[in-house]
């Protein structure tokens, strides 16, 4: 009897320590994501030159990441109502976050591959799609949930119905977004490869130079689908494992799940937000207030001021962007359609 009591006490103590570690990992990752996404939001609000359609999408992505991280940090609910409100909000904004990445992918694809200049007309549709889908999945997600338990993650499914709804309302749209973003990048990259080969075949040096510069920028964008994969792969595996083996938790997998998912906002802010346009805007503000003798000792500022990278923001803002003109000049419509 005493041995059983000691074993139960030791198990409870170990479980509490594991819980504290998981809470610390999740809070730390979410705090870093909150800082990164808040920085992008601040840049958008402070720098007027960034308030273009493309960066507006990045801004809303950062807002969703910021609020997702904020509600993740606000753990330890003491009553059922707080737990209800906390997890509704966290789920809503986390779903909105990866849905905003699909609007960026759609805008890029429509501008570059389809040669359309009407992307700004989709602004209202984007909001309806992102916030509407997030709301629907959040409401459906509440079915089969058990509220009122203390902890950072108190939205707990006790039965298979709740777990299935979790997979359907979160991980199904998540991996749909991953597949869509990956396919979009494949289409853009294929078109650029075709344009490059045609420019070489035509010995058009100016076209070759333009396409190479644009392809360099898109090569960076190709890593963006990996952000979602890296952020949520361990979480997906953990949910599937929990569904197949209820009650049997793998501690190291839970750490990877919570840690990488918590870093999503930070990854997004670095990949989508910290592009050359933002760096130039920051460098220009610093340049305005620093004494000349200090500016001469900081060659990085000079490089940033003169930097002319053709990254995501500049590519999908301007209706007559360089890559559209280049690919239309060297690539027939029929080849692009294929």
């Amino acid at each position: 009897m005493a041995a059983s009591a000691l074993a139960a006490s030791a198990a409870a103590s170990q479980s509490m320590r594991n819980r504290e570690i998981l809470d610390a990992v999740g809070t730390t990752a979410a705090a870093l994501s909150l800082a990164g996404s808040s920085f992008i939001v601040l840049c958008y609000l402070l720098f007027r030159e960034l308030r273009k359609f493309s960066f507006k999408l990045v801004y809303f992505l950062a807002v969703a990441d910021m609020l997702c991280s904020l509600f993740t940090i606000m753990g330890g609910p003491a009553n059922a109502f707080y737990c209800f409100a906390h997890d509704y909000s966290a789920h809503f904004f986390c779903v909105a976050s990866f849905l905003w990445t699909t609007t960026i992918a759609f805008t890029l694809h429509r501008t570059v591959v389809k040669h359309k200049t009407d992307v700004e007309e989709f602004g209202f549709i984007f909001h309806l799609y992102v916030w509407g889908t997030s709301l629907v999945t959040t409401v459906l997600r509440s079915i089969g949930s058990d509220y009122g338990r203390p902890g950072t993650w108190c939205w707990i499914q006790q039965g298979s119905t709740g777990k299935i709804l979790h997979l359907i309302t979160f991980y199904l749209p998540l991996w749909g977004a991953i597949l869509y973003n990956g396919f979009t990048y494949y289409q853009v990259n294929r078109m650029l490869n075709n344009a490059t080969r045609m420019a070489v075949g035509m010995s058009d040096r100016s076209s070759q130079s333009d396409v190479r510069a644009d392809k360099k920028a898109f090569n960076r964008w190709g890593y963006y689908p990996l952000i979602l994969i890296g952020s949520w792969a361990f979480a997906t595996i953990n949910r599937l494992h929990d569904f197949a083996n209820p009650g049997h938790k793998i501690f190291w997998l839970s750490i990877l799940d919570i840690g990488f998912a918590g870093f999503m906002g930070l990854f997004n802010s670095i990949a989508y937000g910290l592009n050359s346009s933002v760096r130039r805007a920051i460098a220009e503000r610093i340049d305005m207030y620093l004494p000349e003798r200090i500016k001469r000792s900081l060659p990085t500022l000079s490089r940033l001021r003169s930097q002319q990278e053709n990254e995501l923001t500049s590519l999908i803002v301007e209706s007559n962007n360089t890559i559209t003109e280049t690919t239309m000049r060297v690539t027939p419509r029929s080849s692009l359609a294929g």
Side-chain angles (χ1 to χ4, degrees):
M1 192 75 175
S4 298
L6 286 174
S9 177
S13 177
Q14 180 64 34
S15 177
M16 182 61 68
R17 282 196 295 271
N18 289 349
R19 184 68 193 190
E20 291 173 352
I21 294 173
L22 291 175
D23 284 347
V25 170
T27 301
T28 301
L32 291 173
S33 289
L34 177 62
S37 54
S38 298
F39 175 77
I40 300 304
V41 170
L42 187 63
C43 286
Y44 177 84
L45 297 176
L46 291 178
F47 305 145
R48 188 178 297 274
E49 62 267 33
L50 295 178
R51 298 176 193 175
K52 300 175 182 178
F53 181 74
S54 63
F55 202 79
K56 186 178 293 185
L57 299 180
V58 176
Y59 164 74
F60 285 117
L61 169 63
V63 168
D65 281 330
M66 182 177 67
L67 294 173
C68 174
S69 301
L70 178 63
F71 284 108
T72 300
I73 293 172
M74 294 169 58
N79 58 69
F81 174 77
Y82 187 90
C83 189
F84 180 86
H86 159 261
D87 283 300
Y88 251 70
S89 302
H91 184 272
F92 178 87
F93 288 111
C94 288
V95 171
S97 172
F98 59 73
L99 292 181
W100 277 116
T101 67
T102 64
T103 68
I104 296 173
F106 173 85
T107 302
L108 186 64
H109 182 270
R110 187 168 181 83
T111 303
V112 176
V113 177
K114 300 295 186 182
H115 304 303
K116 302 292 185 179
T117 61
D118 59 349
V119 288
E120 295 192 30
E121 298 177 7
F122 288 84
F124 175 76
I125 297 176
F126 286 164
H127 282 284
L128 187 63
Y129 153 68
V130 172
W131 305 123
T133 303
S134 300
L135 179 61
V136 170
T137 60
T138 303
V139 172
L140 291 176
R141 172 71 170 77
S142 66
I143 302 173
S145 299
D146 182 16
Y147 292 97
R149 302 194 174 196
T152 305
W153 302 274
C154 58
W155 208 347
I156 302 171
Q157 303 81 34
Q158 296 299 321
S160 59
T161 301
K163 293 178 180 179
I164 292 174
L165 281 172
H166 190 190
L167 293 174
I168 292 175
T169 59
F170 189 88
Y171 289 95
L172 185 62
L174 167 67
W175 284 95
I178 290 172
L179 292 175
Y180 175 77
N181 290 353
F183 175 75
T184 300
Y185 169 71
Y186 168 77
Q187 290 266 303
V188 172
N189 188 62
R190 185 181 68 169
M191 187 206 68
L192 284 173
N193 286 333
N194 291 339
T196 302
R197 285 194 295 269
M198 294 192 69
V200 171
M202 295 169 61
S203 299
D204 188 337
R205 295 187 179 276
S206 63
S207 296
Q208 293 178 42
S209 177
D210 290 341
V211 174
R212 286 196 190 100
D214 295 330
K215 185 170 175 56
K216 181 180 179 181
F218 278 110
N219 283 337
R220 180 187 176 189
W221 184 82
Y223 293 104
Y224 294 173
L226 298 180
I227 294 175
L228 288 178
I229 295 175
S231 297
W232 295 105
F234 293 111
T236 304
I237 295 171
N238 202 18
R239 295 294 86 74
L240 293 174
H241 176 268
D242 182 57
F243 183 79
N245 302 279
H248 179 64
K249 299 289 186 182
I250 302 177
F251 181 60
W252 63 265
L253 183 59
S254 296
I255 289 181
L256 294 175
D257 167 1
I258 293 168
F260 277 90
F263 278 124
M264 180 181 67
L266 180 63
F267 295 153
N268 282 338
S269 64
I270 293 173
Y272 289 94
L274 291 181
N275 53 48
S276 60
S277 298
V278 175
R279 294 196 298 270
R280 281 198 301 271
I282 295 172
E284 288 170 0
R285 296 310 185 280
I286 295 176
D287 186 59
M288 290 172 60
Y289 298 104
L290 279 181
E292 190 63 34
R293 58 185 180 82
I294 297 180
K295 287 189 288 187
R296 285 197 297 267
S297 65
L298 296 174
T300 302
L301 290 177
S302 300
R303 289 198 300 270
L304 285 173
R305 287 198 305 271
S306 61
Q307 196 175 28
Q308 296 297 327
E309 296 174 1
N310 194 10
E311 296 188 14
L312 176 65
T313 300
S314 58
L315 278 169
I316 63 180
V317 168
E318 301 174 13
S319 58
N320 294 318
N321 57 65
T322 306
I323 185 170
T324 302
E325 294 176 346
T326 302
T327 53
M328 291 184 70
R329 184 167 68 247
V330 302
T331 308
R333 283 280 182 176
S334 58
S335 66
L336 288 175

